[in-house]
Amino acid sequence: MCKGLSSLPNSCLERAKGLKARLGNILQKPDWKLTCCKIGKNRPTTEECLKWKHSFEKLLSSKYGMCAFTAFLVSEFSEENIAFYFACEEYRSTKSAAKLAAKAQKIYDEFIGSDAPREINIDHETRDITKSNMESPSPACFDMAQHRIYMLMAKDCYPRFLRSQTYREMAYEDGDKRRCPVHPENV
């Protein structure tokens, strides 16, 4: 006779709950351009959207660009990459040495550990070095892993984003007065 969910280990149940929540959010939003956040009253111009194709850094430095790229990653089931990247940026700016260890452990548990609910795709060597860095957390303990994820996004996800139909529609609107349709009001 089946014992049900109670017979599964807790780690398995936790991971299943996390997957259910993530899939539920994604399945409710199949069109990634609809998930973009609203930032103030101003919307990016077509010109701003076109700047995003010049470099990955320009895309990330734009609030709308980052939002559109994040929404794209959600649609690609790889939003953990951008979340990890910005969690590392926030961690690096932590001033209090007392808070470093707790924040480092939280990032490690969420993105790098073997049972991480949002595990990032890094090689074994980088994972081991990062784990070793956790013994004495410093602002630089995630630098190698963050660099690997940045390069993964820049070389893999970013080109796919630029080739996506929604980005092409945003960037190639007619006329300078038209606004970038990534904003929910334009959808």
Side-chain angles (χ1 to χ4, degrees):
M1 181 182 290
C2 180
K3 294 181 181 180
L5 295 177
S6 62
S7 65
L8 293 174
N10 280 341
S11 62
C12 192
L13 290 173
E14 294 295 322
R15 193 163 184 125
K17 287 177 187 175
L19 287 172
K20 179 183 175 190
R22 285 175 62 196
L23 285 174
N25 288 338
I26 291 167
L27 291 175
Q28 291 175 5
K29 301 171 185 170
D31 188 356
W32 68 266
K33 67 184 176 183
L34 296 176
T35 64
C36 192
C37 55
K38 185 175 182 178
I39 304 170
K41 293 181 179 178
N42 297 324
R43 294 183 291 263
T45 62
T46 300
E47 183 179 283
E48 182 180 349
C49 293
L50 285 170
K51 287 181 184 178
W52 301 343
K53 73 178 183 177
H54 295 306
S55 75
F56 185 52
E57 198 58 44
K58 285 189 192 270
L59 175 72
L60 292 182
S61 67
S62 162
K63 289 181 183 180
Y64 283 104
M66 185 180 68
C67 180
F69 185 65
T70 300
F72 173 75
L73 291 177
V74 168
S75 77
E76 296 271 309
F77 300 96
S78 58
E79 75 278 2
E80 68 277 358
N81 293 327
I82 196 82
F84 173 72
Y85 178 82
F86 284 110
C88 290
E89 289 293 302
E90 181 184 331
Y91 171 78
R92 189 179 293 113
S93 68
T94 302
K95 303 289 185 217
S96 169
K99 292 182 180 179
L100 276 180
K103 283 186 174 186
Q105 191 62 52
K106 182 178 178 187
I107 291 171
Y108 186 86
D109 291 344
E110 185 172 352
F111 298 104
I112 297 173
S114 58
D115 290 331
R118 300 169 75 186
E119 189 174 358
I120 55 172
N121 185 13
I122 54 174
D123 59 270
H124 189 62
E125 179 184 358
T126 302
R127 191 176 306 278
D128 288 346
I129 290 170
T130 305
K131 186 174 183 176
S132 173
N133 290 345
M134 292 293 295
E135 292 172 10
S136 175
S138 72
C141 75
F142 294 107
D143 283 358
M144 186 177 195
Q146 184 186 24
H147 177 72
R148 296 272 196 261
I149 292 302
Y150 179 89
M151 295 308 295
L152 175 71
M153 290 188 300
K155 291 181 177 182
D156 183 44
C157 305
Y158 173 62
R160 282 198 322 272
F161 169 75
L162 295 177
R163 288 190 305 265
S164 71
Q165 182 65 35
T166 304
Y167 172 74
R168 287 185 295 181
E169 289 171 3
M170 287 188 295
Y172 298 105
E173 287 288 317
D174 296 328
D176 288 341
K177 293 180 182 175
R178 296 185 77 178
R179 297 293 182 170
C180 186
V182 70
H183 198 279
E185 292 176 8
N186 288 348
V187 176

